[in-house]
Amino acid sequence: DCIYIQDETGGIDIFPYAESGLELGTYIEVTGYLASYQGDIELKVMSYTILDDENLNVIDPTLVTCAEASDYDTNGGMLLQVEGTVTAVYYNSDGTLAQITVSDGTGEAVVFIDGYILSGTTGENNLADTVTVGSTVSAVGVLYMHPETLATDSDTFGEEVAVLRVRDCDEVVVISDTSAAVDTSELEAAIGDAEALFESDYTSDSWADLEAALEAAKAVLADANATQDEVDEATAALIAAMDGLVAAMDDGDDTTDSSGSGSGSSSGSSSSSSSSSSSTSKTSGSTKTGDSSNLVLWIVLAVCAVAAAVAVVVLRKRQQKR
């Protein structure tokens, strides 16, 4: 029941206009008066004249930032195009896409798909199948002051908001889907490694850090809208928590550990004992050798003494004979 017209100075909503067959690019002259409907400025039609419907001048959308696409005072009624990342999605009761919020770093733009707006190609609204949070999209629409925002934020719900009013579902195009490109294989592997560990093997403090990192990692993995950066950060945090685990020491370990120096000490004692034993053995052997030598010495001395006695006796006998 309305049309939008635009020239080099701007655009405006023309209401009412109910005649069918008007093609995009038709050159038209409208006479009327300014009015406002629920915040949207419009020209109330008194009369109009078709000036040229053969040499169509189809207006191309003007590519603007999301911030500019929210500036109704400057760009209201104009055909605009934005590109950015989808940060919020709203659906109709039948599951079809009703509204998305797009961000490009300059601000946010709201793209509104009215219930009767369908695809010029398929005759359906299947945007919910492809447009999700995280998708990078291009959207074209006329900047319109919507009487009620669909945002669930209680601070803005029901307020007037400038939106790009989509003319055709085909003019909302997914440029890339970052959520589909997210690689979670390393995160899944890290979670598997962490779940294979046993709490009893580690100190309570280091295990608590691991549990926190594991819980956060699982939450990121379960989030269909998680970005690659979020996945990578969760992976790194979980790996760091595993690397930071401190082995627990039970009584047996403590003994072994405390006799680590004790073990060396024990080994030293053992070595010392062995050395002492060896020394004792050597000393004992030495003593036996000494005893044997002494015995031989005594025998030699005894033999010498006998020989000396014989010599004396022989000498005396010779002297007596003389």
Side-chain angles (χ1 to χ4, degrees), residues 2-4 11-15 33-44 72-73 75-78 142-148 160-165:
C2 73
I3 61 173
Y4 283 84
I12 193 169
D13 177 7
I14 304 300
F15 177 84
Y33 59 91
L34 286 177
S36 176
Y37 176 71
Q38 295 181 325
D40 190 48
I41 297 174
E42 59 186 18
L43 184 64
K44 287 277 191 176
Y72 182 82
D73 291 338
N75 299 315
M78 293 184 64
V142 176
L143 191 56
Y144 161 74
M145 185 60 75
H146 196 291
E148 290 186 352
E160 295 177 351
V161 60
V163 302
L164 289 183
R165 189 174 188 178

Side-chain angles (χ1 to χ4, degrees), residues 77-308:
M78 293 184 64
L79 185 65
L80 305 176
Q81 177 183 3
V82 294
E83 294 181 355
T85 303
V86 177
T87 58
V89 179
Y90 303 92
Y91 301 94
N92 295 308
S93 58
D94 61 358
T96 57
L97 193 65
Q99 179 176 300
I100 61 175
T101 303
V102 179
S103 175
D104 65 356
T106 67
E108 291 186 330
V110 178
V111 179
F112 174 67
I113 305 99
D114 217 329
Y116 59 85
I117 298 297
L118 304 173
S119 163
T121 303
T122 65
E124 300 178 343
N125 176 357
N126 294 321
L127 290 173
D129 295 339
T130 56
V131 179
T132 60
V133 172
S135 299
T136 300
V137 300
S138 169
V140 174
V142 176
L143 191 56
Y144 161 74
M145 185 60 75
H146 196 291
E148 290 186 352
T149 178
L150 297 182
T152 55
D153 183 345
S154 59
D155 294 333
T156 60
F157 181 78
E159 293 182 2
E160 295 177 351
V161 60
V163 302
L164 289 183
R165 189 174 188 178
V166 174
R167 305 175 301 176
D168 186 325
C169 287
D170 293 341
E171 292 186 318
V172 179
V173 180
V174 175
I175 300 173
S176 66
D177 190 347
T178 56
S179 60
V182 172
D183 180 6
T184 61
S185 58
E186 290 187 7
L187 179 58
E188 292 174 37
I191 290 174
D193 290 343
E195 290 181 329
L197 300 174
F198 294 96
E199 181 177 358
S200 59
D201 292 339
Y202 305 99
T203 61
S204 57
D205 288 344
S206 64
W207 186 259
D209 291 340
L210 176 66
E211 283 189 319
L214 180 58
E215 183 177 350
K218 287 181 174 180
V220 171
L221 184 61
D223 184 359
N225 299 317
T227 65
Q228 188 65 60
D229 285 344
E230 291 172 331
V231 169
D232 292 344
E233 289 172 7
T235 303
L238 182 54
I239 291 174
M242 285 191 283
D243 290 343
L245 284 171
V246 178
M249 295 183 291
D250 56 27
D251 293 340
D253 289 336
D254 284 340
T255 305
T256 302
D257 228 29
S258 81
S259 59
S261 57
S263 180
S265 186
S266 174
S267 175
S269 280
S270 175
S271 176
S272 173
S273 174
S274 173
S275 176
S276 172
S277 172
S278 174
S279 174
T280 303
S281 175
K282 287 180 181 178
T283 304
S284 174
S286 228
T287 304
K288 289 178 182 177
T289 303
D291 290 345
S292 177
S293 298
N294 290 338
L295 179 59
V296 172
L297 181 58
W298 283 111
I299 292 172
V300 170
L301 290 174
V303 170
C304 290
V306 170

